[in-house]
């Protein structure tokens, strides 16, 4: 029923705008994007066989043809092209059609969910391009390095499970991933906005057509970042995902206020005869700002979403909370933050994983569209797999220096 309701809303919005939009409009093609170069230094306990320093960079280009009809209806499309793969290839992680007007905005295709696009959490403006957990790539490795295939060496037990690399640091729920979906944004009324979306399945996007009801081993929980062994007791694959959300942002006498929240639900796939817990997750957040200072925090919970229903497993909640303070004056921004994430880890043993991070950062705008910044993060990761003979716990520091271009 949910899918028909959302599809009907999208069709109605399109029909409302199309009534008198019969004039031939010229499309304006807008280009925008960003690029960064980053250098990192890592000092961690479990670093055998690893370098202390590494560089990385990324370039993204947004292509957006847009037109406006005589009746005021705006419509167009957007694609985001990325040069970020270690294999030296290009990909596109966004591609959708949109229409907007007095009714709000409808997006059809591969795009962020409403909540992931508008969530409220701790302030992150001082961190480059909103990437609030950049340090994680330096302690878990990336897909094109030997670091990810060397079991129990230089990789804290912090990834895998319900949300991949940022399971224990997430500010927003991304269970519907970069999958093909329908998203609706309401107009903003006195600072208040609401939205909803529907995603048929979170492992299908762009021209892919996947009508199967059961899952495959390829979509079962990502590998444990400390051991390299797949999390077979977890699934990240969900179908018929629905989200609802709302936020309120306003200013009163120089005091800025922002609050927001969202709720997600969906059906877990049964894979190789194993049934998993359905998706039931929510997020909440709030921020207050005054005279350049911004204080805020957020909380999200996946509950037991995606955990196997098999008997004799140790299921528990996955939850993350964060708090931070930021100050901005002229071209300078500085900030500090704390994040705490917990989940049951492997499920095969009793206990929880926990990741605590403390961070400091600063950025400086050199010229319009050009900034430089630095971040320091201390992390302390405790694994439920640690025993008297095998230690998967880890702690250490990550320092990042970067330059960022936006256009």
């Amino acid at each position: 029923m949910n899918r028909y309701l959302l599809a009907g809303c999208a069709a109605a919005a399109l029909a409302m705008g199309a009534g008198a939009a019969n004039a031939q409009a010229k499309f304006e093609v807008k280009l925008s994007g960003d690029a960064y170069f980053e250098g990192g230094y890592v000092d961690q306990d479990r670093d055998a066989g690893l370098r202390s320093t590494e560089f990385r960079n990324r370039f993204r280009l947004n292509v957006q043809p847009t037109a406006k009809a005589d009746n005021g209806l705006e419509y167009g499309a957007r694609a985001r092209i990325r040069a970020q793969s270690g294999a030296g290839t290009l990909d596109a992680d966004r591609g959708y059609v949109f229409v907007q007007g007095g009714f709000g905005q409808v997006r059809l295709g591969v795009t962020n969910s409403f909540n992931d696009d508008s969530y409220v959490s701790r302030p992150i403006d001082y961190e480059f391009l909103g990437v609030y957990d950049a340090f994680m790539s330096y302690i878990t490795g990336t897909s094109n390095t030997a670091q990810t295939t060397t079991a129990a060496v230089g990789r804290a037990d912090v990834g895998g499970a319900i949300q991949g690399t940022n399971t224990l640091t997430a500010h927003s729920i991304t269970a519907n991933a970069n999958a093909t979906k329908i998203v609706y944004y309401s107009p903003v009324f006195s600072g208040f906005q609401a939205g909803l979306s529907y995603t048929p399945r979170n492992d299908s996007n762009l021209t892919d057509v996947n009508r199967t009801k059961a899952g495959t081993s390829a979509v079962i929980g990502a590998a444990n970042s400390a051991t390299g062994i797949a999390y077979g007791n977890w699934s990240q694959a969900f179908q018929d995902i629905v989200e609802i959300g709302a936020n309120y942002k306003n200013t009163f006498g120089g005091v800025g206020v922002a609050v927001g929240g969202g709720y997600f639900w969906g059906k877990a796939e049964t894979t190789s005869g194993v049934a998993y817990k359905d998706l039931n997750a929510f997020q909440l957040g709030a921020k207050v700002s005054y005279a350049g200072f911004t204080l805020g925090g957020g909380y999200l919970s996946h509950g037991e979403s995606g955990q196997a229903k098999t008997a004799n497993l140790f299921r528990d909640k996955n939850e993350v909370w964060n708090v931070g303070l930021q100050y901005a004056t002229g071209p300078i921004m500085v900030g500090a933050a704390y994040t705490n994430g917990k989940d049951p880890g492997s499920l095969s043993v009793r206990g929880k994983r926990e990741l605590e991070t403390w961070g400091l950062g600063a950025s400086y705008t050199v010229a319009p569209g050009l900034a430089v910044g630095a971040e320091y993060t201390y992390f302390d990761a405790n694994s439920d797999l640690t025993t008297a003979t095998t230690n998967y716990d880890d702690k250490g520091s990550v320092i990042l220096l970067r330059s960022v271009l936006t256009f």
Side-chain angles (χ1 to χ4, degrees):
M1 180 61 71
N2 289 319
R3 72 192 78 174
Y4 301 122
L5 174 61
L6 288 167
C9 290
L14 288 169
M16 287 167 57
N22 48 18
Q24 291 227 332
K26 278 189 175 181
F27 278 89
E28 176 185 1
V29 179
K30 302 176 181 178
L31 298 178
S32 62
D34 55 66
Y36 72 78
F37 176 85
E38 178 182 270
Y41 171 81
V42 183
D43 178 16
Q44 67 183 124
D45 287 352
R46 299 177 63 246
D47 61 357
L50 295 178
R51 294 166 48 88
S52 296
T53 59
E54 176 62 309
F55 290 158
R56 68 172 180 170
N57 72 298
R58 183 187 71 186
F59 176 82
R60 300 189 299 187
L61 176 66
N62 300 307
V63 182
Q64 183 170 310
T66 306
K68 188 171 185 178
D70 292 342
N71 67 347
L73 178 73
E74 293 184 49
Y75 54 98
R78 178 178 178 242
R80 187 168 76 181
I81 303 166
R82 303 184 302 177
Q84 72 162 17
S85 167
T89 58
L90 294 175
D91 69 4
D93 67 334
R94 300 290 187 276
Y96 61 89
V97 175
F98 68 88
V99 292
Q100 61 186 32
F103 55 86
Q105 184 185 81
V106 176
R107 297 182 183 179
L108 310 170
V110 178
T111 180
N112 297 67
S113 68
F114 172 81
N115 285 284
D116 193 39
D117 204 26
S118 60
Y119 71 88
V120 179
S121 190
R122 70 169 177 85
I124 59 174
D125 298 324
Y126 66 95
E127 298 177 284
F128 78 113
L129 304 175
V131 182
Y132 54 80
D133 57 359
F135 77 95
M136 290 290 283
S137 294
Y138 290 83
I139 65 173
T140 60
T142 54
S143 60
N144 62 302
T145 67
Q147 185 178 346
T148 58
T149 59
T150 305
V153 176
R155 300 165 65 203
D157 181 11
V158 293
I162 188 63
Q163 198 157 305
T165 301
N166 71 344
T167 289
L168 300 178
T169 58
H171 286 200
S172 175
I173 294 166
T174 57
N176 46 8
N178 289 336
T180 301
K181 59 178 69 71
I182 298 172
V183 188
Y184 170 70
Y185 296 74
S186 79
V188 177
F189 299 104
S190 301
F192 176 83
Q193 185 179 40
L196 67 161
S197 75
Y198 168 70
T199 306
R201 55 184 303 142
N202 65 356
D203 59 352
S204 178
N205 59 27
L206 299 174
T207 59
D208 178 60
V209 175
N210 188 343
R211 299 176 57 220
T212 58
K213 291 184 177 180
T216 65
S217 58
V219 295
I220 293 302
N224 179 322
S225 54
T227 66
I229 300 171
Y231 269 123
N233 292 325
W234 289 81
S235 175
Q236 299 170 344
F238 300 100
Q239 300 184 18
D240 295 327
I241 303 169
V242 179
E243 67 152 336
I244 56 174
N247 59 70
Y248 176 78
K249 300 175 183 179
N250 217 329
T251 302
F252 304 93
V255 178
V257 176
V259 294
Y263 176 65
F264 295 70
W265 69 94
K267 182 176 177 57
E269 294 181 350
T270 296
T271 303
S272 302
V274 178
Y276 296 86
K277 294 267 191 172
D278 288 342
L279 174 67
N280 281 286
F282 69 93
Q283 60 191 58
L284 300 168
K287 284 194 294 192
V288 178
S289 58
Y290 178 74
F293 288 93
T294 303
L295 174 67
Y299 172 84
L300 68 80
S301 172
H302 284 94
E304 296 182 1
S305 302
Q307 298 176 32
K309 295 181 180 180
T310 310
N312 301 318
L313 294 180
F314 299 97
R315 289 178 289 272
D316 210 329
K317 292 180 180 179
N318 161 237
E319 51 190 358
V320 182
W321 64 273
N322 63 76
V323 63
L325 177 65
Q326 175 181 283
Y327 177 69
T329 177
I332 299 173
M333 282 193 289
V334 295
Y338 171 78
T339 300
N340 182 292
K342 294 179 182 178
D343 76 358
S346 71
L347 302 189
S348 297
V349 297
R350 189 183 300 276
K352 285 189 174 186
R353 295 190 302 174
E354 181 178 15
L355 174 64
E356 292 185 279
T357 66
W358 295 260
L360 296 171
S363 67
Y364 176 76
T365 300
V366 179
L370 178 63
V372 293
E375 287 182 28
Y376 169 78
T377 302
Y378 177 81
F379 71 92
D380 187 356
N382 294 290
S383 172
D384 61 323
L385 296 173
T386 293
T387 66
T389 58
T390 306
N391 181 19
Y392 289 112
D393 296 346
D394 198 8
K395 62 181 182 295
S397 300
V398 181
I399 298 174
L400 303 177
L401 303 176
R402 66 178 63 91
S403 58
V404 181
L405 177 74
T406 56
F407 61 93

